Amino acid sequence: MGSATREALASSKKALAALPTGALTLSTGEDLFAAGRIIGESAQFRSLLGDPSTEPAAKKALINAVFSAGLGADALSLLTAITTAHWSTPDELLAGIEEIALRVVAATVPAGTSIESELFAFGEAVASDAGLELAIGSTLGSPAAKVSLIDALLEGKASEQTVVIVRHLVQQPRGRRIAELLGRAADIVADAANQSIATVTSATPIAPEQLARLTTALGRSYGRELKINQIVDPTILGGLRVEIAGDVIDGSIEARLNDLRLRLAG
């Protein structure tokens, strides 16, 4: 991420924070996702908005001309703030629109609902079925067919917010695999609630009291509340592998054996 993008993302988050939280709706997030897809489908449109030499006033006029009739007031305001900022690349502009849309959706989640957990569960289901992963991730399938498949898979099993997010991700993957799409979305949603996600892999299920101690210790180390995703993988033999905020803490027996093999081979 370039320095221009970091500044643009920060200003976009400020524009979001300036809106009354209670006024944000799921439709606002859907509008932003849809606008991002329209911009993404036109290389010329995307390049013009992502060009630092294009004056902010010209960008604003273009956004109004294309979207004023189709977007709600809050979505249009946010889209204008995002697109008139100076992004390092057009692709990072698209990523910025997606991130702000994710944060809007996160703000509409009902109490007691964890869309991070729902995204994780869906990712695990897809990863366990090669045919399903191909159907969702293939560049050959039409976006409409993928959306229909998502609706069939998640109907009655996930919140509206999760369905909206997954629908968007499969329509605009931007070269990313489904696991990366879902993982990045979950990280942003968690960050919107001042949390981070830790994925803990163990050979057998972790006892609740041990998991609580691990959560507390990791939270203290990283300075924020954590959401834990658990994966049971017998192939690691024993110990734990923890992935959090781009860090990997691998204390599994598998990792130790591999390290020993490398030492012996050397």
Side-chain angles (χ1 to χ4, degrees), residues 34-43 45-46 94 172 174:
R37 292 195 297 274
I38 290 171
I39 293 170
E41 288 168 0
S42 170
F45 195 8
R46 188 169 65 252
L94 286 184
Q172 192 179 56
R174 303 200 327 273

Side-chain angles (χ1 to χ4, degrees), residues 18-253:
L19 295 176
T21 302
L24 292 174
T25 66
L26 186 56
S27 293
T28 302
E30 289 182 287
D31 281 351
L32 280 177
F33 280 141
R37 292 195 297 274
I38 290 171
I39 293 170
E41 288 168 0
S42 170
Q44 184 177 6
F45 195 8
R46 188 169 65 252
S47 295
L48 184 60
L49 291 173
D51 187 344
S53 67
T54 305
E55 291 294 329
K59 294 180 181 180
K60 181 177 180 179
L62 181 58
I63 291 298
N64 280 330
V66 175
F67 295 109
S68 60
L71 299 187
D74 286 342
L76 183 61
S77 172
L78 286 170
L79 183 63
T80 301
I82 297 166
T83 55
T84 53
H86 178 191
W87 298 83
S88 298
T89 68
D91 284 344
E92 291 186 356
L93 165 62
L94 286 184
I97 296 172
E98 181 176 280
E99 174 160 344
I100 299 303
L102 284 165
R103 290 177 179 275
V104 170
V105 172
T108 71
V109 176
T113 298
S114 172
I115 56 178
E116 305 98 311
S117 298
E118 291 178 350
L119 290 169
F120 176 74
F122 181 68
E124 287 292 284
V126 172
S128 66
D129 187 327
L132 178 57
E133 185 172 12
L134 180 62
I136 292 174
S138 173
T139 57
L140 300 178
S142 72
K146 292 179 182 180
V147 168
S148 295
L149 178 58
I150 294 303
D151 288 346
L153 291 169
L154 294 180
E155 182 179 5
K157 299 176 182 177
S159 64
E160 287 182 284
Q161 286 78 7
T162 294
V163 174
V164 165
I165 289 171
V166 180
R167 280 176 179 166
H168 166 72
L169 295 177
V170 300
Q171 289 180 87
Q172 192 179 56
R174 303 200 327 273
R176 300 167 294 174
R177 294 178 63 87
I178 187 65
E180 181 184 355
L181 292 168
L182 296 169
R184 177 60 178 158
D187 285 340
I188 291 171
V189 168
D191 185 68
N194 294 315
Q195 299 174 334
S196 291
I197 294 176
T199 301
V200 180
T201 305
S202 59
T204 58
I206 302 172
E209 59 274 14
Q210 182 185 4
L211 186 62
R213 289 195 298 271
L214 178 64
T215 302
T216 300
L218 289 172
R220 189 180 300 117
S221 296
Y222 282 86
R224 66 189 331 197
E225 183 180 347
L226 297 181
K227 300 279 288 188
I228 301 293
N229 289 331
Q230 294 185 67
I231 296 176
V232 176
D233 180 4
T235 66
I236 72 169
L237 304 178
L240 298 175
R241 179 187 296 128
V242 180
E243 299 176 50
I244 177 172
D247 297 334
V248 178
I249 307 167
D250 198 339
S252 66
I253 292 176

